[in-house]
Amino acid sequence: MGKHSKYSIALIAGACSVASSVAFAEQVTIVLDTEPEQLELCQSARSQVGKVVRQNIGETLTEIDPSTGDITPRLATSWTQLEPTKWKFELREGVKFHDGSDFDADALVYAIQRTLDPDMACENRVKYFDGFELTAKAVGPHTVELSTSDPVPILPTLMGTMAIMSPSTPMGEPSRAPVGTGPYVFAAWEPGQQIELERFDGYWGDTPQVTGATYVWRGESAVRAAMIETGEADIAANIAIQDATNPEMDFSYLNSETSRLRIDTQIGALEDVRVRKALNHALDREALVGSILPQDVILATQLVGPSINGHNPNPKPYSYDPALARQLLDEARADGVDVDAGIVLIGRHNIYPNAFEVMQAIQAMYADVGLDVSLTMTEAAEWFELLVKPFAEDREPNLLQSQHDNNNGDAVFTVFAKYHSDGGQSTISDAEVDRLIEEAGKATGAERRSLYQEMFARLHDEIVPDVYMFHMVGFTRVGPRLNFQPSIATNSELQLSQISLR
Amino acid sequence: MFHRLAIRTAQSTLALAGLLLLVFFLSRLTGNPTDLYLPMSASLEAREAFAEKHGFNDPVLQQFLDYVRGILQFDLGDSIFQGRPAIDAVLEAFPVTLRLAAVTMALSFTIAVVVGSVAAMRPNGPFDRLASVLTLTSASAPDFWIAIVGILVFSVGFGLLPTSGMGGPLYWVLPVLVLSVRPIGLMTQVVRATMISALASSYAKTARAKGVPERRVVFGHALPNSMLPVVTVAADLTAGFINGAVVVETIFGWPGIGNLMLSAIVQRDFAVVQACILVTALAIFVMNVLVDLSYGWFDPRIRETST
């Protein structure tokens, strides 16, 4: 081998090495707390699936900004309501799926039919499209008419939850290799070990800086945090408060969850609103903040956060006033209400960090005002049976530890199940609340917001179906290589295109 | 020996059938998986439709007959959460656990035999005392704590080892060491006790009187005769590993059978639970047969009794 050949090989090798290290430098590794069971786009409402696929592999027609609730175009460029039950969506032209097929009206109709197929048991359908019929019809190469059996004024919002898959995805069976239109292509999945995505060169939008991502998962928060410190990963999701010890790397953010104790208003002393108010006044919420719950949690007055359409900023948190709580209980007792009968405080292990400790503290606070409260902790399955109807006839008066997640921009995703008389988890039956929920569901704009706000005010001030707790926060650890700010959306999606490298 | 093997096989088959029966009905007692699969806001109609589709509304006896029919056709059902055959998930996870168990037990066994034998040569001597303190400590140390401390010291502190994951030899160091700590402690204690007894026996004394070097007395004569209880303890520990080293698998992100079984139990993914139990039970049955055979190899009297 001649001298020049040797130099050439050395130069090529060096160039390859530099190229690969540059490529590697623009790759990110994300460590999740659990492996996604599927990578099916119609299951993207599941948080562990959504974090990988949503807006990375599969995109939606519209996009919800969880911090404001605003809807912006994504695969659809515009939409018009033709009738109360009919909408027209204009689709973005020139968009390709990762398999090379065109995104057009026919492709969208197929994706909607597949998502709504009952055999698929898609979370996206069950969570957002249950209770009414949705049919899609192509009326032009890039125009689709969507019809609903009932008026659904927030259909554009709902379409922000449905990730669109390629027509090559088989109907009726879940996919483990998703094909969408997003900025990243599914590359590989080694079950139990890692998932890899690569940047899609044919993406219709701006080219993201990150060239690819590797997803790994570790069940232990301390290990996830350690992986950022050692440089093995760049983003670690769901860091426990006790592991979030590095202020330069650990970001706290409202995670769209709101915690509460659901009051069973149909049983014993809890039927009396004075007792329910006493339960709220007896709770020293501030004492929990910065001790067993993170410093950044916000006292809640309703089950949706400030960014959700319909949130009412006016109700003030119930004051911690044990004297007033005792007085309310005495008044109820004087009227023959059996406030001295036992109340069961039902917790759920790990519903949020330190959930058990929170329940122990609450039990002690209620004991301080003279209530006889026992504490029972449950596992997820047992807890769920207590959460949903039908409720057991012979149940005891109870307060159920609960947490609700709404980052979809509108109170509609919360109120029916929780507070309507027919809601699957509702313990109240109030004609006025029912009316407000139904009217708001049909209304749009300011009227819709106003009706929901009126409903939340009524719930807070007059019905009191909950012991309101906190808008919760989560922690994500971000490595020093990245510019990435976790947000309220991070619980359900993690858009790689929003990450840049320092 | 074949007679003994046949009896053992028949016993194990009966035990396996009983186990599967128990697991099937006990898992159904925990309730319907529908509530855990569908979102909290799912309507009653959606829940009913899901339960109907997956046969959860069928009488339990009918479900059991379907399950038995499936086993006879080598079909262990589909994982409702993973949307694929349960056996696929199990056969991906099981080799990971087997590899981890094999390396851990080989290391633990070797260290235990050497340390236990050397300690037995001079009971209550300095080495024996040191070994006893260390092995008693290691036998009672919690896996979880050792694993986290190991990561903090060797990965975060010194940067010598990866925190977790599967890969080259360095990725094996922490999981295997953490998993070995307890077996080394337990088996060393057993080896030491049986070796002290063996080294005081008449055949060991005779060997020494005939001028056989002490090293050969220990490792050539006493050790093989001390192996039966050690093999029994090792088999018991291995059975535990085959069922999954849940803590180590979880912390180090090893996708083994323990991790899979735990998440399947929590999710009520019945098909996966049943497939995990079936595969691990079969593996333990095979291992028990091998252990039985090894008894005959270590002690010819057992072989002769069997024949």
Side-chain angles (χ1 to χ4, degrees):
Chain A
M1 189 180 284
K3 196 175 173 183
H4 291 294
S5 302
K6 283 182 184 170
Y7 285 141
S8 303
I9 290 169
L11 279 172
I12 292 167
C16 288
S17 163
V18 169
S20 68
S21 68
V22 167
F24 177 75
E26 293 179 347
Q27 294 262 336
V28 296
T29 299
I30 296 166
V31 54
L32 307 172
D33 54 352
T34 180
E35 180 177 13
E37 296 109 359
Q38 305 178 16
L39 287 182
E40 167 58 56
L41 289 176
C42 84
Q43 302 286 10
S44 62
R46 290 176 179 272
S47 62
Q48 72 271 36
V49 180
K51 279 194 187 103
V52 178
V53 305
R54 198 157 159 183
Q55 311 299 14
N56 290 330
I57 298 174
E59 296 177 286
T60 49
L61 288 191
T62 61
E63 190 169 357
I64 305 164
D65 180 345
S67 61
T68 61
D70 291 344
I71 307 299
T72 53
R74 186 104 185 192
L75 286 178
T77 52
S78 64
W79 47 91
T80 320
Q81 188 168 20
L82 305 173
E83 299 170 20
T85 59
K86 191 177 281 185
W87 295 74
K88 185 171 77 173
F89 281 78
E90 297 292 343
L91 308 185
R92 192 174 296 279
E93 295 185 28
V95 175
K96 293 271 186 194
F97 286 102
H98 303 153
D99 58 8
S101 58
D102 290 326
F103 168 70
D104 56 17
D106 290 336
L108 177 63
V109 170
Y110 179 86
I112 290 175
Q113 286 171 346
R114 186 174 179 277
T115 302
L116 302 182
D117 178 2
D119 279 348
M120 292 285 292
C122 294
E123 180 114 343
N124 295 10
R125 172 181 69 85
V126 176
K127 200 165 181 180
Y128 302 117
F129 295 89
D130 206 14
F132 66 92
E133 283 180 26
L134 172 68
T135 50
K137 188 171 80 173
V139 294
H142 290 90
T143 309
V144 171
E145 261 183 24
L146 299 183
S147 303
T148 55
S149 54
D150 302 299
V152 182
I154 58 155
L155 193 64
T157 303
L158 292 179
M159 295 314 292
T161 67
M162 187 188 285
I164 305 302
M165 69 286 297
S166 161
S168 66
T169 315
M171 186 71 81
E173 55 183 90
S175 166
R176 291 174 69 83
V179 179
T181 59
Y184 292 88
V185 182
F186 168 77
W189 182 2
E190 290 180 59
Q193 295 190 54
Q194 61 182 39
I195 292 167
E196 288 177 21
L197 308 189
E198 290 169 359
R199 195 166 62 192
F200 177 39
D201 292 334
Y203 184 56
W204 59 269
D206 294 337
T207 303
Q209 188 182 0
V210 170
T211 56
T214 301
Y215 295 85
V216 297
W217 35 88
R218 303 287 181 264
E220 187 55 42
S221 161
V223 178
R224 294 196 294 279
M227 289 178 74
I228 306 296
E229 296 229 2
T230 59
E232 290 172 62
D234 299 295
I235 297 176
N238 294 351
I239 297 296
I241 180 173
Q242 61 269 25
D243 299 316
T245 52
N246 186 334
E248 289 177 10
M249 289 183 176
D250 297 321
F251 292 86
S252 149
Y253 55 96
L254 280 176
N255 63 4
S256 77
E257 300 273 9
T258 302
S259 57
R260 64 166 177 163
L261 298 178
R262 186 191 68 181
I263 304 174
D264 191 336
T265 66
Q266 298 168 348
I267 292 287
L270 300 179
E271 288 182 88
D272 192 290
V273 72
R274 289 167 297 190
V275 176
R276 303 202 291 270
K277 286 186 175 177
L279 289 167
N280 273 283
H281 282 298
L283 198 60
D284 186 1
R285 295 168 182 79
E286 302 278 6
L288 304 175
V289 179
S291 52
I292 46 181
L293 289 176
Q295 188 68 47
D296 302 329
V297 296
I298 296 173
L299 268 64
T301 58
Q302 55 215 284
L303 208 47
V304 297
S307 64
I308 300 298
N309 182 40
H311 174 89
N312 189 332
N314 295 325
K316 297 287 173 273
Y318 279 95
S319 58
Y320 172 53
D321 191 340
L324 178 57
R326 284 190 203 96
Q327 182 191 325
L328 287 164
L329 292 173
D330 286 342
E331 286 173 16
R333 190 181 287 112
D335 287 343
V337 177
D338 188 8
V339 297
D340 300 316
I343 296 174
V344 185
L345 199 52
I346 303 169
R348 175 180 152 185
H349 288 294
N350 301 322
I351 192 169
Y352 44 76
N354 297 332
F356 179 49
E357 288 77 3
V358 167
M359 293 303 268
Q360 286 179 309
I362 291 173
Q363 185 186 22
M365 290 173 197
Y366 285 158
D368 276 351
V369 296
L371 286 167
D372 175 15
V373 175
S374 59
L375 173 60
T376 303
M377 295 303 289
T378 57
E379 295 299 332
E382 185 186 3
W383 173 86
F384 190 84
E385 279 161 15
L386 298 167
L387 176 73
V388 296
K389 291 176 180 173
F391 302 132
E393 288 291 330
D394 58 350
R395 67 193 187 278
E396 294 176 271
N398 66 83
L399 308 173
L400 186 76
Q401 186 179 30
S402 164
Q403 182 172 248
H404 173 62
D405 175 18
N406 183 347
N407 63 2
N408 292 307
D410 195 279
V412 71
F413 299 109
T414 298
V415 293
F416 188 89
K418 308 292 181 191
Y419 299 121
H420 192 279
S421 301
D422 296 331
Q425 302 163 31
S426 171
T427 64
I428 64 170
S429 181
D430 182 79
E432 180 62 6
V433 169
D434 289 354
R435 182 189 71 78
L436 289 165
I437 289 173
E438 288 160 17
E439 301 267 312
K442 294 175 199 159
T444 55
E447 184 193 3
R448 182 183 184 88
R449 180 178 306 114
S450 168
L451 287 164
Y452 279 135
Q453 288 180 337
E454 191 181 337
M455 183 214 63
F456 280 123
R458 179 171 175 77
L459 287 174
H460 182 271
D461 299 339
E462 296 174 46
I463 310 293
V464 199
D466 299 308
V467 176
Y468 299 101
M469 302 281 289
F470 303 99
H471 300 304
M472 307 294 273
V473 297
F475 293 94
T476 289
R477 179 168 283 194
V478 181
R481 286 200 313 140
L482 305 188
N483 279 314
F484 174 67
Q485 179 74 47
S487 72
I488 194 168
T490 307
N491 254 20
S492 53
E493 67 182 38
L494 211 165
Q495 294 198 35
L496 297 171
S497 58
Q498 294 175 348
I499 298 172
S500 61
L501 294 117
R502 290 181 197 272
Chain B
M1 182 55 73
F2 285 115
H3 178 65
R4 186 180 164 81
L5 199 61
I7 290 174
R8 188 75 179 186
T9 305
Q11 286 171 338
S12 297
T13 308
L14 272 178
L16 189 63
L19 181 68
L20 292 179
L21 197 75
L22 204 65
V23 168
F24 184 91
F25 286 102
L26 280 180
S27 57
R28 262 67 185 177
L29 279 180
T30 63
N32 188 327
T34 305
D35 294 339
L36 295 180
Y37 186 84
L38 295 181
M40 282 198 285
S41 55
S43 65
L44 198 59
E45 292 75 26
R47 291 178 194 287
E48 276 300 310
F50 183 84
E52 192 65 34
K53 178 177 185 298
H54 291 278
F56 299 133
N57 286 343
D58 293 344
V60 180
L61 198 60
Q62 177 65 45
Q63 292 183 44
F64 181 68
L65 291 175
D66 290 344
Y67 172 57
V68 172
R69 199 172 299 125
I71 289 182
L72 295 176
Q73 295 168 353
F74 300 103
D75 176 7
L76 298 183
D78 288 345
S79 160
I80 55 170
F81 280 85
Q82 299 192 27
R84 60 176 178 152
I87 192 68
D88 289 0
V90 174
L91 292 182
E92 272 167 15
F94 195 53
V96 173
T97 296
L98 273 188
R99 284 202 297 270
L100 193 59
V103 174
T104 301
M105 285 312 296
L107 180 75
S108 309
F109 194 84
T110 308
I111 292 176
V113 164
V114 172
V115 175
S117 301
V118 173
M121 288 165 72
R122 288 199 180 20
N124 297 320
F127 184 82
D128 182 35
R129 283 171 190 269
L130 180 66
S132 290
V133 169
L134 291 178
T135 53
L136 277 173
T137 307
S138 70
S140 42
D143 292 356
F144 176 83
W145 181 80
I146 300 173
I148 295 292
V149 170
I151 289 171
L152 290 177
V153 172
F154 295 106
S155 305
V156 179
F158 296 128
L160 296 173
L161 298 168
T163 57
S164 54
M166 288 180 69
L170 286 181
Y171 285 86
W172 287 73
V173 175
L174 276 177
V176 169
L177 285 181
V178 170
L179 216 46
S180 301
V181 166
R182 198 164 159 268
I184 288 174
L186 285 173
M187 285 194 292
T188 303
Q189 297 282 324
V190 176
V191 172
R192 176 188 174 275
T194 53
M195 283 294 283
I196 287 174
S197 164
L199 288 171
S201 64
S202 51
Y203 66 80
K205 287 176 185 165
T206 306
R208 285 192 194 101
K210 287 167 74 177
V212 176
E214 185 63 14
R215 198 174 57 187
R216 215 173 133 210
V217 172
V218 173
F219 294 104
H221 292 278
L223 188 59
N225 287 308
S226 308
M227 276 294 105
L228 285 190
V230 184
V231 168
T232 306
V233 172
D236 187 42
L237 290 166
T238 309
F241 290 148
I242 287 176
N243 272 318
V246 177
V247 171
V248 168
E249 286 176 6
T250 303
I251 290 178
F252 292 107
W254 281 57
I257 198 94
N259 236 336
L260 180 69
M261 202 170 345
L262 186 67
S263 59
I265 289 168
V266 170
Q267 293 170 330
R268 293 181 183 162
D269 201 343
F270 296 148
V272 175
V273 174
Q274 290 155 190
C276 284
I277 300 280
L278 180 66
V279 169
T280 53
L282 280 173
I284 289 170
F285 159 67
V286 171
M287 190 191 70
N288 282 336
V289 168
L290 293 176
V291 168
D292 274 4
L293 292 174
S294 78
Y295 284 167
W297 185 74
F298 282 118
D299 188 342
R301 288 171 299 181
I302 294 176
R303 199 162 54 220
E304 283 159 16
T305 311
S306 301
T307 52

